[in-house]
Amino acid sequence: MITLLTYAPAFGQPAASPFCIKAMMLLNMAGVQWTPEILSDPRKMPYAKLPAIRVDGRLIADSDNIRAWLEGQGADFDVELSLRDRAHSRALIRMAEEHLYFHVVADRWGDDAVWPVTRDTYFGMIPKPIRGFVTNGIRKPVIASLRQMGIGRFTPTERLARAEPDLQAIADLLGGLFLFGDKPTAADASVAAQLAGMMATPIATLLGDRVRGDKVLVDYVKRVNEALL
Ligand SMILES: N[C@@H](CCC(=O)N[C@@H](CS)C(=O)NCC(=O)O)C(=O)O
């Protein structure tokens, strides 16, 4: 049995992290048996992040490594894709995970109106009298890393403008049900999980409103969730 170490459900999603949701989708797509184990503190994980899977006492951390492990067991998430499509898939995954994801983080951690809800959802286990103090110490380096990478320096309007061409590119690719036709592939697990994260942010943000208002993207996320969760 495979155990998926994941964050708790949050904001109507099966996990607070889009990467944990991606891992759930990959496990389901691979058709393997798995069970979730909820962690709130990832510091003991190999990369101090989630998701990870535990198989026969061994930890495999990071959703891309989980994918590689499943592929090593015989899964092929992109079975009908040409080499060219597989290359495009890789680029889409990077766009979703190394760019769009940080907009989810900026909305949830960087927006002062959203932060109190994020804090109480993610860190509700910390006693209230010390929660503000403890979580400020966790929030600060997250904000600093967003500033360091650049998007933390943008106004919300500039940030939406930076995400917009990516969102449009995803919508433009959705001629079929999924990114590469009528069957879900690995790229759908990565892209839909990040879009779902944007949509699930519980307080209105420019980005959340943009994605929630886009019927093509909303219907796409719904289809991927129905197929893979
Ligand atoms: N590249 C990793 C990213 C995972 C990731 O960023 N996880 C975040 C939650 S979305 C995390 O656990 N962060 C904890 C921390 O940075 O302290 C993957 O694909 O699994």
Side-chain angles (χ1 to χ4, degrees):
M1 177 62 93
I2 300 166
T3 302
L4 174 67
L5 305 170
T6 173
Y7 292 110
F11 308 144
Q13 298 280 296
S17 156
F19 293 97
C20 294
I21 297 172
K22 167 194 169 186
M24 292 174 187
M25 290 179 173
L26 292 178
L27 290 162
N28 289 339
M29 232 191 293
V32 296
Q33 291 289 314
W34 62 277
T35 185
E37 182 177 312
I38 289 171
L39 287 190
S40 52
D41 184 351
R43 282 176 296 181
K44 290 208 170 98
M45 291 294 106
Y47 305 121
K49 284 176 184 275
L50 290 174
I53 55 172
R54 192 189 308 111
V55 192
D56 298 330
R58 178 179 155 224
L59 278 179
I60 296 141
D62 189 291
S63 65
D64 246 12
N65 291 342
I66 294 170
R67 173 181 174 175
W69 183 83
L70 288 166
E71 288 171 336
Q73 302 296 303
D76 187 348
F77 302 102
D78 296 339
V79 72
E80 287 174 18
L81 268 54
S82 64
L83 212 54
R84 192 177 168 78
D85 279 347
R86 284 175 189 243
H88 286 144
S89 168
R90 179 46 60 190
L92 279 166
I93 290 169
R94 288 285 171 254
M95 180 177 87
E97 298 183 0
E98 308 296 342
H99 181 227
L100 292 178
Y101 165 64
F102 292 100
H103 289 272
V104 179
V105 177
D107 269 8
R108 292 184 184 180
W109 292 72
D111 184 314
D112 288 338
V114 181
W115 168 246
V117 185
T118 303
R119 178 193 63 210
D120 292 343
T121 306
Y122 289 6
F123 303 107
M125 76 299 274
I126 300 176
K128 212 157 188 185
I130 58 165
R131 192 181 302 157
F133 171 75
V134 173
T135 56
N136 278 345
I138 302 171
R139 187 187 187 202
K140 255 192 181 159
V142 175
I143 305 276
S145 71
L146 291 170
R147 255 197 87 69
Q148 185 65 30
M149 70 188 295
I151 67 167
R153 299 167 198 226
F154 291 162
T155 64
T157 306
E158 288 170 331
R159 200 156 62 64
L160 179 63
R162 182 56 58 96
E164 178 59 33
D166 295 19
L167 299 173
Q168 194 54 53
I170 295 164
D172 288 344
L173 283 173
L174 286 170
L177 294 176
F178 300 102
L179 288 167
F180 292 97
D182 290 342
K183 280 193 192 150
T185 63
D188 293 299
S190 290
V191 170
Q194 299 299 340
L195 294 176
M198 291 173 182
M199 286 163 54
T201 297
I203 303 280
T205 63
L206 289 183
L207 184 65
D209 290 348
R210 160 69 180 87
V211 180
R212 282 188 290 263
D214 188 323
K215 188 169 163 34
V216 172
L217 297 180
V218 170
D219 288 352
Y220 165 64
V221 170
K222 197 163 167 253
R223 276 196 301 279
V224 176
N225 286 344
E226 278 167 6
L228 300 181
L229 282 178

